[in-house]
Amino acid sequence: MGAAVGLTLTPAPLPALSRGAQPLSAPLILAQAQLPEEEELLRRKKGKGAKRDEQRTPRAERPAQRERAERPAAREREAVKRRAAEPEAAITEERLKRRKDREAVKRRAAEPEPAITEERQKRRKNREAVRRRAAEPEPAITEERQKRRKDREAVKRRAAEPEPAITEERQKRRKEREAARQRAAEPEPAITEERQKRRKEREAVKRRAAEPEPAITEERVKRRKEREAARQRAAEPEPAITEERLKRRKEREAAMRRPENAARLFDSAKEKPVRRKPGGAGSDQPAARARAERLPESDAAAQARASTDPVQIGSVISEEGRRIERPRRERPEVPEGAELVREVNNRFIFRTNNTYFIERPREERFIIDAREVYYEELPRSRQREVVVRPDGTRIVTIRNRWGDVVRRVKILPDDREIVLVYVEDDYYDEVLEWRDPGLDLPPLDLDIPVRDYILDAEWVEDPEDYYTFLDQPPVEQVERTYSLDEVRRSARIRDKVRRIDLDIINFEFGSAQIPESEIGKLEGVAGAMQRLLKENPGETFLIEGHTDAVGAEVANLALSDQRAEAVATALTNVFDIAPENMETQGYGEQYLKVETQGPERENRRVAIRRITPLVAPVASSE
């Protein structure tokens, strides 16, 4: 056989099997010979098919290419695994620093308060203090309110204490009073019928004084006469006075007797001589003295000569005004006859009639705790000030072009007006200079005991004496109602009313501050003022400040004015006396109580006068 024969094995078709037939043991493979040309052709076809299949397969799916593409990712995964397995190998310096900072913050947060600097501790304490104050019921207490609270607490503490700092003199007087009470409680065998009658009358007077007394009615006049009759009987010699009572009376009279170096009784007699202008009522008879034939029995009787017709007073807010932002602080002009010398602590010091005088353009006490304060310009260069209190009460004050008060009214929330100061506008606008109205009056000459005109608080044993004394009318007739500034500047006009010398308040040398231990000494006179204001809300009291003669005259004048204002502020803050019912004025060393140029405690004092019948019609104030 010369040519090679190729064999091709082809599977033979299998016969169809029935359901129950058994398959053959092995397929029958038949061999079939192929030619070389056919074999070459078949091989080429297989090569082309494989090449087509390779082209159709994506490059990424090719094994070699896929392996090369996956190498970077595999290397990155291996690097991540190695870094995770290592402690902290390839962390940069910056990341290490941030990690340390975070750990330090966590440690400080976990610790109580490790490294807080002194400044941070101070700020933290301040914030905690602010939170505590915010939690308290009264967060924003001003310095003024804190001062008033301290004053009230001091008064309460002193009231609760058994009275620790009582001087030897006060202890002696207390023992004397206790002895008198014990004697009064014991049966007195030989009391005459006259003494029993007087005792009953005194007890009746005290009972009536304890009852509320509204306005000065006929009943009050009757009781006043009874009190004066009781005083007259007390001045008469009493037959059966025991030796002990005589001894006590002599001691009191000796203490109240004016010393040899005592100054003159009336302030108007202590002033420097003033040149009187011709035409005045007092210029014709300068030496004549005004001796009261009969003391007025009431305020209304004292004003009987002022006007026979009832005073018709219009509403203080009826006149139209123009609202302004702020009040006039300085006087636009100085009245004729006066000279502006100096300004000290918002106080103006003038010189007129050879004497110095101090004034304040505004009363700062009026606007403390006020809900609103506004000002209005009125015709004739006048100005109206309105102070609105938290309860709706309005205090309306009208001043003329020099700042002098010509009207002051308290308007209650129900629109009822209470007149505190009233002067006829027509009369007051005609005054072109500061002229003392007392120059038209002769010198005052009274025929009454000194103790009935000046009450020394040092010798007051019963607080009821303050009320009885302040409730008394002027000692002479009142020609007309005067302005506040006329009363302040004229000693002769002030002499018409009685005064209380509060020489129990001890001011330190050169100081206007009232020590807390001294505030309780105002309780007696404050109670009398409260009682009078309950009867008549239109009462006005003048608080006078005085100094000794040591130091410059101008400096003493400013110091005395500050002392008077300190007493008025204490009466308001501690005892709730309304500020509009009190006027203050300092007089420096002009009116010495004891004639001496050296330091003297009795000259460093405060005096109180009830000037209501001098500045307001009785019918309107009551």
Side-chain angles (χ1 to χ4, degrees):
M1 292 178 30
V5 179
L7 294 179
T8 303
L9 298 180
T10 58
L14 295 178
L17 296 179
S18 63
R19 182 179 299 269
Q22 297 290 330
L24 295 179
S25 58
L28 179 63
I29 301 175
L30 298 180
Q32 185 177 359
Q34 271 185 336
L35 296 177
E37 293 84 2
E38 294 177 353
E39 187 175 347
E40 179 67 21
L41 181 60
L42 183 59
R43 185 175 57 80
R44 289 179 180 176
K45 287 183 178 179
K46 288 181 179 180
K48 292 180 180 179
K51 191 174 183 179
R52 280 196 304 271
D53 293 340
E54 185 179 353
Q55 291 176 351
R56 292 174 183 173
T57 304
R59 297 179 63 89
E61 294 180 1
R62 297 173 189 175
Q65 294 177 353
R66 186 165 54 250
E67 182 180 357
R68 286 195 300 271
E70 291 178 354
R71 283 176 186 173
R75 284 197 296 269
E76 182 69 20
R77 286 194 296 273
E78 291 176 1
V80 170
K81 291 178 181 178
R82 285 197 302 273
R83 286 195 298 273
E86 294 175 357
E88 283 186 2
I91 299 179
T92 62
E93 183 178 354
E94 180 66 24
R95 293 184 61 191
L96 280 172
K97 183 178 179 182
R98 290 199 301 271
R99 176 170 291 175
K100 290 179 181 179
D101 293 341
R102 287 195 298 273
E103 291 176 353
V105 170
K106 292 178 182 177
R107 284 197 302 273
R108 286 196 299 272
E111 294 175 0
E113 284 186 2
I116 300 179
T117 62
E118 183 179 353
E119 180 65 25
R120 292 185 62 193
Q121 287 178 345
K122 182 179 179 181
R123 291 199 300 270
R124 175 171 291 174
K125 289 179 181 179
N126 292 338
R127 289 195 297 271
E128 292 176 354
V130 170
R131 293 192 192 100
R132 285 196 301 270
R133 286 195 299 271
E136 292 177 358
E138 295 184 6
I141 302 180
T142 61
E143 183 178 354
E144 181 66 25
R145 294 183 63 192
Q146 287 178 346
K147 182 179 178 183
R148 292 201 300 271
R149 175 175 291 173
K150 290 180 181 178
D151 293 342
R152 289 194 295 270
E153 292 176 354
V155 170
K156 292 178 182 177
R157 286 198 301 272
R158 286 194 297 275
E161 293 175 358
E163 294 189 3
I166 301 179
T167 61
E168 183 178 353
E169 180 65 25
R170 292 185 62 190
Q171 287 178 345
K172 182 179 177 182
R173 292 202 300 270
R174 174 171 291 173
K175 290 179 180 179
E176 291 175 354
R177 288 196 298 271
E178 291 177 354
R181 294 192 191 98
Q182 291 174 1
R183 285 193 300 273
E186 294 174 358
E188 299 181 5
I191 300 179
T192 62
E193 184 178 352
E194 180 64 24
R195 290 187 64 193
Q196 288 180 344
K197 182 179 179 182
R198 288 201 300 272
R199 174 173 291 175
K200 291 179 181 179
E201 290 175 352
R202 286 196 296 270
E203 291 176 354
V205 169
K206 291 181 180 178
R207 284 197 303 271
R208 286 194 296 272
E211 297 174 356
E213 300 179 6
I216 302 182
T217 59
E218 184 179 351
E219 180 64 24
R220 290 187 65 189
V221 174
K222 181 180 178 182
R223 290 199 298 271
R224 181 170 289 163
K225 291 180 180 179
E226 293 174 352
R227 289 197 297 269
E228 292 176 355
R231 293 193 195 98
Q232 291 174 0
R233 285 193 298 273
E236 296 173 356
E238 300 180 3
I241 299 177
T242 63
E243 184 178 351
E244 180 66 23
R245 293 184 64 186
L246 278 172
K247 181 180 178 181
R248 289 200 308 272
R249 172 171 291 180
K250 289 180 180 179
E251 290 176 353
R252 287 196 299 270
E253 290 177 353
M256 297 178 65
R257 192 178 298 117
R258 306 183 71 205
E260 295 180 357
N261 62 340
R264 296 182 180 180
L265 181 63
F266 303 111
D267 286 348
S268 56
K270 304 172 186 178
E271 292 183 332
K272 300 176 183 178
V274 178
R275 182 175 59 86
R276 299 172 180 263
K277 286 193 174 185
S283 60
D284 297 335
Q285 298 177 350
R289 292 189 172 274
R291 179 181 295 275
E293 297 179 358
R294 185 179 181 183
L295 294 179
E297 296 180 353
S298 65
D299 291 350
Q303 290 186 357
R305 296 181 184 176
S307 177
T308 56
D309 299 328
V311 179
Q312 299 295 331
I313 301 177
S315 176
V316 74
I317 58 176
S318 60
E319 193 171 8
E320 195 71 22
R322 180 178 63 87
R323 184 76 68 95
I324 57 177
E325 293 184 1
R326 58 176 60 88
R328 295 191 298 255
R329 181 177 178 273
E330 297 183 357
R331 294 173 178 268
E333 59 178 306
V334 178
E336 183 182 350
E339 176 188 359
L340 179 60
V341 177
R342 188 183 301 176
E343 179 182 357
V344 181
N345 296 331
N346 199 24
R347 290 172 167 84
F348 298 95
I349 298 179
F350 295 89
R351 182 165 54 198
T352 177
N353 292 336
N354 298 327
T355 58
Y356 289 99
F357 188 78
I358 190 168
E359 277 198 352
R360 296 171 305 281
R362 291 292 180 273
E363 288 286 355
E364 300 297 334
R365 298 180 294 108
F366 286 14
I367 62 177
I368 295 177
D369 296 335
R371 189 176 69 189
E372 182 185 6
V373 181
Y374 60 91
Y375 305 89
E376 295 177 334
E377 283 285 355
L378 299 177
R380 293 180 292 175
S381 301
R382 293 172 302 155
Q383 189 175 103
R384 181 165 55 202
E385 175 190 76
V386 182
V387 179
V388 184
R389 298 281 166 75
D391 61 350
T393 301
R394 290 171 288 172
I395 310 301
V396 183
T397 303
I398 297 180
R399 293 179 171 86
N400 67 357
R401 61 179 177 272
W402 299 311
D404 296 342
V405 177
V406 295
R407 291 281 300 275
R408 177 169 289 158
V409 174
K410 177 191 290 187
I411 304 178
L412 302 180
D414 59 358
D415 292 334
R416 185 165 58 94
E417 296 188 8
I418 299 174
V419 178
L420 301 174
V421 178
Y422 178 79
V423 178
E424 290 289 344
D425 294 340
D426 295 337
Y427 165 77
Y428 211 75
D429 287 342
E430 293 175 359
V431 179
L432 299 179
E433 61 179 8
W434 282 1
R435 185 178 182 278
D436 185 357
L439 297 177
D440 299 335
L441 303 175
L444 183 61
D445 186 12
L446 291 180
D447 192 13
I448 62 175
V450 176
R451 62 177 177 270
D452 290 344
Y453 181 72
I454 299 176
L455 178 64
D456 283 327
E458 186 177 2
W459 303 105
V460 173
E461 296 183 356
D462 188 357
E464 180 73 17
D465 295 342
Y466 288 115
Y467 170 79
T468 304
F469 190 84
L470 286 174
D471 191 39
Q472 297 182 79
V475 296
E476 70 171 351
Q477 293 292 325
V478 178
E479 292 73 24
R480 60 176 177 86
T481 55
Y482 300 93
S483 69
L484 279 178
D485 299 275
E486 285 179 314
V487 175
R488 287 169 172 167
R489 290 193 290 264
S490 177
R492 178 64 180 85
I493 300 302
R494 293 194 305 274
D495 285 343
K496 290 178 176 291
V497 293
R498 310 164 203 255
R499 80 168 189 257
I500 297 177
D501 281 345
L502 291 178
D503 44 13
I504 55 177
I505 304 296
N506 295 319
F507 289 100
E508 296 297 333
F509 180 77
S511 173
Q513 298 295 326
I514 304 178
E516 289 189 4
S517 59
E518 301 292 312
I519 293 179
K521 298 178 180 180
L522 296 172
E523 186 175 2
V525 69
M529 294 169 68
Q530 289 173 341
R531 188 170 167 187
L532 288 167
L533 287 171
K534 187 176 180 180
E535 299 170 359
N536 175 22
E539 296 282 5
T540 301
F541 302 93
L542 178 63
I543 314 295
E544 304 176 5
H546 300 272
T547 65
D548 53 24
V550 179
E553 185 175 1
V554 174
N556 286 338
L557 191 61
L559 177 62
S560 65
D561 197 64
Q562 293 171 1
R563 286 177 175 173
E565 191 169 8
V567 171
T569 301
L571 289 172
T572 298
N573 296 342
V574 182
F575 302 102
D576 296 328
I577 306 295
E580 62 271 11
N581 293 106
M582 294 182 292
E583 293 296 326
T584 61
Q585 185 63 47
Y587 295 103
E589 58 187 73
Q590 297 179 32
Y591 308 110
L592 299 178
K593 190 174 182 179
V594 178
E595 283 289 353
T596 177
Q597 296 300 313
E600 176 59 45
R601 185 187 64 82
E602 291 191 22
N603 287 333
R604 298 192 297 269
R605 71 192 191 281
V606 171
I608 299 179
R609 302 177 192 259
R610 187 179 69 91
I611 62 172
T612 309
L614 302 180
V615 297
V618 174
S620 62
S621 63
E622 295 181 0

mmCIF file with all atom_site columns, all heavy atoms in Angstrom, residues 482-497:
data_model
loop_
_atom_site.group_PDB
_atom_site.id
_atom_site.type_symbol
_atom_site.label_atom_id
_atom_site.label_alt_id
_atom_site.label_comp_id
_atom_site.label_asym_id
_atom_site.label_entity_id
_atom_site.label_seq_id
_atom_site.pdbx_PDB_ins_code
_atom_site.Cartn_x
_atom_site.Cartn_y
_atom_site.Cartn_z
_atom_site.occupancy
_atom_site.B_iso_or_equiv
_atom_site.pdbx_formal_charge
_atom_site.auth_seq_id
_atom_site.auth_comp_id
_atom_site.auth_asym_id
_atom_site.auth_atom_id
_atom_site.pdbx_PDB_model_num
ATOM 1   N N   . TYR A 1 482 ? -46.520 130.656 101.510 1.00 0.00 ? 482 TYR A N   1
ATOM 2   C CA  . TYR A 1 482 ? -45.222 130.966 100.930 1.00 0.00 ? 482 TYR A CA  1
ATOM 3   C C   . TYR A 1 482 ? -44.753 129.799 100.063 1.00 0.00 ? 482 TYR A C   1
ATOM 4   O O   . TYR A 1 482 ? -45.230 128.661 100.190 1.00 0.00 ? 482 TYR A O   1
ATOM 5   C CB  . TYR A 1 482 ? -44.196 131.230 102.042 1.00 0.00 ? 482 TYR A CB  1
ATOM 6   C CG  . TYR A 1 482 ? -44.552 132.389 102.945 1.00 0.00 ? 482 TYR A CG  1
ATOM 7   C CD1 . TYR A 1 482 ? -45.255 132.181 104.137 1.00 0.00 ? 482 TYR A CD1 1
ATOM 8   C CD2 . TYR A 1 482 ? -44.196 133.679 102.603 1.00 0.00 ? 482 TYR A CD2 1
ATOM 9   C CE1 . TYR A 1 482 ? -45.587 133.239 104.961 1.00 0.00 ? 482 TYR A CE1 1
ATOM 10  C CE2 . TYR A 1 482 ? -44.526 134.752 103.436 1.00 0.00 ? 482 TYR A CE2 1
ATOM 11  C CZ  . TYR A 1 482 ? -45.225 134.521 104.600 1.00 0.00 ? 482 TYR A CZ  1
ATOM 12  O OH  . TYR A 1 482 ? -45.551 135.569 105.406 1.00 0.00 ? 482 TYR A OH  1
ATOM 13  N N   . SER A 1 483 ? -43.793 130.105 99.211  1.00 0.00 ? 483 SER A N   1
ATOM 14  C CA  . SER A 1 483 ? -43.195 129.039 98.395  1.00 0.00 ? 483 SER A CA  1
ATOM 15  C C   . SER A 1 483 ? -42.179 128.276 99.232  1.00 0.00 ? 483 SER A C   1
ATOM 16  O O   . SER A 1 483 ? -41.733 128.727 100.294 1.00 0.00 ? 483 SER A O   1
ATOM 17  C CB  . SER A 1 483 ? -42.503 129.622 97.160  1.00 0.00 ? 483 SER A CB  1
ATOM 18  O OG  . SER A 1 483 ? -41.345 130.340 97.535  1.00 0.00 ? 483 SER A OG  1
ATOM 19  N N   . LEU A 1 484 ? -41.814 127.078 98.741  1.00 0.00 ? 484 LEU A N   1
ATOM 20  C CA  . LEU A 1 484 ? -40.815 126.296 99.453  1.00 0.00 ? 484 LEU A CA  1
ATOM 21  C C   . LEU A 1 484 ? -39.506 127.062 99.582  1.00 0.00 ? 484 LEU A C   1
ATOM 22  O O   . LEU A 1 484 ? -38.844 127.032 100.626 1.00 0.00 ? 484 LEU A O   1
ATOM 23  C CB  . LEU A 1 484 ? -40.568 124.969 98.722  1.00 0.00 ? 484 LEU A CB  1
ATOM 24  C CG  . LEU A 1 484 ? -41.576 123.849 98.964  1.00 0.00 ? 484 LEU A CG  1
ATOM 25  C CD1 . LEU A 1 484 ? -41.223 122.638 98.127  1.00 0.00 ? 484 LEU A CD1 1
ATOM 26  C CD2 . LEU A 1 484 ? -41.613 123.477 100.434 1.00 0.00 ? 484 LEU A CD2 1
ATOM 27  N N   . ASP A 1 485 ? -39.113 127.755 98.517  1.00 0.00 ? 485 ASP A N   1
ATOM 28  C CA  . ASP A 1 485 ? -37.835 128.452 98.537  1.00 0.00 ? 485 ASP A CA  1
ATOM 29  C C   . ASP A 1 485 ? -37.873 129.662 99.471  1.00 0.00 ? 485 ASP A C   1
ATOM 30  O O   . ASP A 1 485 ? -36.864 129.994 100.085 1.00 0.00 ? 485 ASP A O   1
ATOM 31  C CB  . ASP A 1 485 ? -37.454 128.877 97.118  1.00 0.00 ? 485 ASP A CB  1
ATOM 32  C CG  . ASP A 1 485 ? -37.309 127.679 96.201  1.00 0.00 ? 485 ASP A CG  1
ATOM 33  O OD1 . ASP A 1 485 ? -36.231 127.093 96.175  1.00 0.00 ? 485 ASP A OD1 1
ATOM 34  O OD2 . ASP A 1 485 ? -38.302 127.316 95.542  1.00 0.00 ? 485 ASP A OD2 1
ATOM 35  N N   . GLU A 1 486 ? -39.030 130.305 99.598  1.00 0.00 ? 486 GLU A N   1
ATOM 36  C CA  . GLU A 1 486 ? -39.137 131.400 100.557 1.00 0.00 ? 486 GLU A CA  1
ATOM 37  C C   . GLU A 1 486 ? -38.977 130.881 101.981 1.00 0.00 ? 486 GLU A C   1
ATOM 38  O O   . GLU A 1 486 ? -38.321 131.512 102.822 1.00 0.00 ? 486 GLU A O   1
ATOM 39  C CB  . GLU A 1 486 ? -40.478 132.115 100.391 1.00 0.00 ? 486 GLU A CB  1
ATOM 40  C CG  . GLU A 1 486 ? -40.547 133.003 99.160  1.00 0.00 ? 486 GLU A CG  1
ATOM 41  C CD  . GLU A 1 486 ? -41.893 133.680 99.024  1.00 0.00 ? 486 GLU A CD  1
ATOM 42  O OE1 . GLU A 1 486 ? -42.922 133.000 99.190  1.00 0.00 ? 486 GLU A OE1 1
ATOM 43  O OE2 . GLU A 1 486 ? -41.917 134.885 98.739  1.00 0.00 ? 486 GLU A OE2 1
ATOM 44  N N   . VAL A 1 487 ? -39.567 129.731 102.278 1.00 0.00 ? 487 VAL A N   1
ATOM 45  C CA  . VAL A 1 487 ? -39.444 129.152 103.619 1.00 0.00 ? 487 VAL A CA  1
ATOM 46  C C   . VAL A 1 487 ? -38.001 128.725 103.868 1.00 0.00 ? 487 VAL A C   1
ATOM 47  O O   . VAL A 1 487 ? -37.462 128.919 104.960 1.00 0.00 ? 487 VAL A O   1
ATOM 48  C CB  . VAL A 1 487 ? -40.410 127.968 103.770 1.00 0.00 ? 487 VAL A CB  1
ATOM 49  C CG1 . VAL A 1 487 ? -40.206 127.268 105.107 1.00 0.00 ? 487 VAL A CG1 1
ATOM 50  C CG2 . VAL A 1 487 ? -41.857 128.439 103.642 1.00 0.00 ? 487 VAL A CG2 1
ATOM 51  N N   . ARG A 1 488 ? -37.368 128.133 102.854 1.00 0.00 ? 488 ARG A N   1
ATOM 52  C CA  . ARG A 1 488 ? -35.982 127.710 103.035 1.00 0.00 ? 488 ARG A CA  1
ATOM 53  C C   . ARG A 1 488 ? -35.054 128.893 103.310 1.00 0.00 ? 488 ARG A C   1
ATOM 54  O O   . ARG A 1 488 ? -34.154 128.817 104.144 1.00 0.00 ? 488 ARG A O   1
ATOM 55  C CB  . ARG A 1 488 ? -35.493 126.986 101.772 1.00 0.00 ? 488 ARG A CB  1
ATOM 56  C CG  . ARG A 1 488 ? -36.064 125.599 101.581 1.00 0.00 ? 488 ARG A CG  1
ATOM 57  C CD  . ARG A 1 488 ? -35.727 125.131 100.188 1.00 0.00 ? 488 ARG A CD  1
ATOM 58  N NE  . ARG A 1 488 ? -36.073 123.736 99.972  1.00 0.00 ? 488 ARG A NE  1
ATOM 59  C CZ  . ARG A 1 488 ? -36.112 123.175 98.773  1.00 0.00 ? 488 ARG A CZ  1
ATOM 60  N NH1 . ARG A 1 488 ? -35.812 123.894 97.699  1.00 0.00 ? 488 ARG A NH1 1
ATOM 61  N NH2 . ARG A 1 488 ? -36.428 121.910 98.637  1.00 0.00 ? 488 ARG A NH2 1
ATOM 62  N N   . ARG A 1 489 ? -35.272 130.005 102.586 1.00 0.00 ? 489 ARG A N   1
ATOM 63  C CA  . ARG A 1 489 ? -34.339 131.120 102.670 1.00 0.00 ? 489 ARG A CA  1
ATOM 64  C C   . ARG A 1 489 ? -34.639 132.070 103.835 1.00 0.00 ? 489 ARG A C   1
ATOM 65  O O   . ARG A 1 489 ? -33.759 132.823 104.245 1.00 0.00 ? 489 ARG A O   1
ATOM 66  C CB  . ARG A 1 489 ? -34.351 131.905 101.351 1.00 0.00 ? 489 ARG A CB  1
ATOM 67  C CG  . ARG A 1 489 ? -33.737 131.165 100.181 1.00 0.00 ? 489 ARG A CG  1
ATOM 68  C CD  . ARG A 1 489 ? -33.503 132.105 99.018  1.00 0.00 ? 489 ARG A CD  1
ATOM 69  N NE  . ARG A 1 489 ? -34.736 132.532 98.394  1.00 0.00 ? 489 ARG A NE  1
ATOM 70  C CZ  . ARG A 1 489 ? -35.269 131.967 97.318  1.00 0.00 ? 489 ARG A CZ  1
ATOM 71  N NH1 . ARG A 1 489 ? -34.662 130.923 96.766  1.00 0.00 ? 489 ARG A NH1 1
ATOM 72  N NH2 . ARG A 1 489 ? -36.388 132.405 96.799  1.00 0.00 ? 489 ARG A NH2 1
ATOM 73  N N   . SER A 1 490 ? -35.846 132.062 104.369 1.00 0.00 ? 490 SER A N   1
ATOM 74  C CA  . SER A 1 490 ? -36.232 133.039 105.389 1.00 0.00 ? 490 SER A CA  1
ATOM 75  C C   . SER A 1 490 ? -36.302 132.384 106.757 1.00 0.00 ? 490 SER A C   1
ATOM 76  O O   . SER A 1 490 ? -37.192 131.565 107.032 1.00 0.00 ? 490 SER A O   1
ATOM 77  C CB  . SER A 1 490 ? -37.585 133.665 105.037 1.00 0.00 ? 490 SER A CB  1
ATOM 78  O OG  . SER A 1 490 ? -38.000 134.552 106.049 1.00 0.00 ? 490 SER A OG  1
ATOM 79  N N   . ALA A 1 491 ? -35.375 132.739 107.645 1.00 0.00 ? 491 ALA A N   1
ATOM 80  C CA  . ALA A 1 491 ? -35.419 132.224 109.017 1.00 0.00 ? 491 ALA A CA  1
ATOM 81  C C   . ALA A 1 491 ? -36.610 132.788 109.771 1.00 0.00 ? 491 ALA A C   1
ATOM 82  O O   . ALA A 1 491 ? -37.191 132.106 110.629 1.00 0.00 ? 491 ALA A O   1
ATOM 83  C CB  . ALA A 1 491 ? -34.114 132.568 109.733 1.00 0.00 ? 491 ALA A CB  1
ATOM 84  N N   . ARG A 1 492 ? -36.997 134.018 109.457 1.00 0.00 ? 492 ARG A N   1
ATOM 85  C CA  . ARG A 1 492 ? -38.140 134.632 110.152 1.00 0.00 ? 492 ARG A CA  1
ATOM 86  C C   . ARG A 1 492 ? -39.439 133.890 109.848 1.00 0.00 ? 492 ARG A C   1
ATOM 87  O O   . ARG A 1 492 ? -40.295 133.740 110.735 1.00 0.00 ? 492 ARG A O   1
ATOM 88  C CB  . ARG A 1 492 ? -38.250 136.107 109.739 1.00 0.00 ? 492 ARG A CB  1
ATOM 89  C CG  . ARG A 1 492 ? -39.431 136.841 110.366 1.00 0.00 ? 492 ARG A CG  1
ATOM 90  C CD  . ARG A 1 492 ? -39.302 136.917 111.873 1.00 0.00 ? 492 ARG A CD  1
ATOM 91  N NE  . ARG A 1 492 ? -40.425 137.624 112.479 1.00 0.00 ? 492 ARG A NE  1
ATOM 92  C CZ  . ARG A 1 492 ? -41.572 137.051 112.797 1.00 0.00 ? 492 ARG A CZ  1
ATOM 93  N NH1 . ARG A 1 492 ? -41.747 135.745 112.561 1.00 0.00 ? 492 ARG A NH1 1
ATOM 94  N NH2 . ARG A 1 492 ? -42.536 137.752 113.358 1.00 0.00 ? 492 ARG A NH2 1
ATOM 95  N N   . ILE A 1 493 ? -39.608 133.438 108.623 1.00 0.00 ? 493 ILE A N   1
ATOM 96  C CA  . ILE A 1 493 ? -40.814 132.669 108.274 1.00 0.00 ? 493 ILE A CA  1
ATOM 97  C C   . ILE A 1 493 ? -40.763 131.299 108.939 1.00 0.00 ? 493 ILE A C   1
ATOM 98  O O   . ILE A 1 493 ? -41.774 130.797 109.443 1.00 0.00 ? 493 ILE A O   1
ATOM 99  C CB  . ILE A 1 493 ? -40.944 132.548 106.745 1.00 0.00 ? 493 ILE A CB  1
ATOM 100 C CG1 . ILE A 1 493 ? -41.049 133.942 106.104 1.00 0.00 ? 493 ILE A CG1 1
ATOM 101 C CG2 . ILE A 1 493 ? -42.150 131.713 106.374 1.00 0.00 ? 493 ILE A CG2 1
ATOM 102 C CD1 . ILE A 1 493 ? -42.196 134.780 106.606 1.00 0.00 ? 493 ILE A CD1 1
ATOM 103 N N   . ARG A 1 494 ? -39.590 130.664 108.953 1.00 0.00 ? 494 ARG A N   1
ATOM 104 C CA  . ARG A 1 494 ? -39.480 129.348 109.607 1.00 0.00 ? 494 ARG A CA  1
ATOM 105 C C   . ARG A 1 494 ? -39.741 129.439 111.104 1.00 0.00 ? 494 ARG A C   1
ATOM 106 O O   . ARG A 1 494 ? -40.216 128.468 111.723 1.00 0.00 ? 494 ARG A O   1
ATOM 107 C CB  . ARG A 1 494 ? -38.091 128.740 109.365 1.00 0.00 ? 494 ARG A CB  1
ATOM 108 C CG  . ARG A 1 494 ? -37.804 128.365 107.929 1.00 0.00 ? 494 ARG A CG  1
ATOM 109 C CD  . ARG A 1 494 ? -36.573 127.473 107.834 1.00 0.00 ? 494 ARG A CD  1
ATOM 110 N NE  . ARG A 1 494 ? -35.395 128.067 108.450 1.00 0.00 ? 494 ARG A NE  1
ATOM 111 C CZ  . ARG A 1 494 ? -34.562 128.903 107.859 1.00 0.00 ? 494 ARG A CZ  1
ATOM 112 N NH1 . ARG A 1 494 ? -34.795 129.249 106.587 1.00 0.00 ? 494 ARG A NH1 1
ATOM 113 N NH2 . ARG A 1 494 ? -33.509 129.390 108.481 1.00 0.00 ? 494 ARG A NH2 1
ATOM 114 N N   . ASP A 1 495 ? -39.411 130.574 111.719 1.00 0.00 ? 495 ASP A N   1
ATOM 115 C CA  . ASP A 1 495 ? -39.637 130.721 113.156 1.00 0.00 ? 495 ASP A CA  1
ATOM 116 C C   . ASP A 1 495 ? -41.115 130.669 113.539 1.00 0.00 ? 495 ASP A C   1
ATOM 117 O O   . ASP A 1 495 ? -41.446 130.536 114.721 1.00 0.00 ? 495 ASP A O   1
ATOM 118 C CB  . ASP A 1 495 ? -39.039 132.051 113.644 1.00 0.00 ? 495 ASP A CB  1
ATOM 119 C CG  . ASP A 1 495 ? -37.523 131.979 113.742 1.00 0.00 ? 495 ASP A CG  1
ATOM 120 O OD1 . ASP A 1 495 ? -36.986 130.858 113.759 1.00 0.00 ? 495 ASP A OD1 1
ATOM 121 O OD2 . ASP A 1 495 ? -36.871 133.048 113.780 1.00 0.00 ? 495 ASP A OD2 1
ATOM 122 N N   . LYS A 1 496 ? -41.994 130.757 112.570 1.00 0.00 ? 496 LYS A N   1
ATOM 123 C CA  . LYS A 1 496 ? -43.422 130.697 112.874 1.00 0.00 ? 496 LYS A CA  1
ATOM 124 C C   . LYS A 1 496 ? -43.853 129.304 113.342 1.00 0.00 ? 496 LYS A C   1
ATOM 125 O O   . LYS A 1 496 ? -44.905 129.166 113.981 1.00 0.00 ? 496 LYS A O   1
ATOM 126 C CB  . LYS A 1 496 ? -44.244 131.092 111.637 1.00 0.00 ? 496 LYS A CB  1
ATOM 127 C CG  . LYS A 1 496 ? -44.155 132.563 111.255 1.00 0.00 ? 496 LYS A CG  1
ATOM 128 C CD  . LYS A 1 496 ? -44.956 132.838 109.981 1.00 0.00 ? 496 LYS A CD  1
ATOM 129 C CE  . LYS A 1 496 ? -44.965 134.311 109.653 1.00 0.00 ? 496 LYS A CE  1
ATOM 130 N NZ  . LYS A 1 496 ? -45.759 135.117 110.607 1.00 0.00 ? 496 LYS A NZ  1
ATOM 131 N N   . VAL A 1 497 ? -43.108 128.270 113.002 1.00 0.00 ? 497 VAL A N   1
ATOM 132 C CA  . VAL A 1 497 ? -43.482 126.906 113.382 1.00 0.00 ? 497 VAL A CA  1
ATOM 133 C C   . VAL A 1 497 ? -42.427 126.353 114.335 1.00 0.00 ? 497 VAL A C   1
ATOM 134 O O   . VAL A 1 497 ? -41.271 126.778 114.347 1.00 0.00 ? 497 VAL A O   1
ATOM 135 C CB  . VAL A 1 497 ? -43.607 125.997 112.134 1.00 0.00 ? 497 VAL A CB  1
ATOM 136 C CG1 . VAL A 1 497 ? -44.780 126.427 111.283 1.00 0.00 ? 497 VAL A CG1 1
ATOM 137 C CG2 . VAL A 1 497 ? -42.328 126.006 111.310 1.00 0.00 ? 497 VAL A CG2 1
#
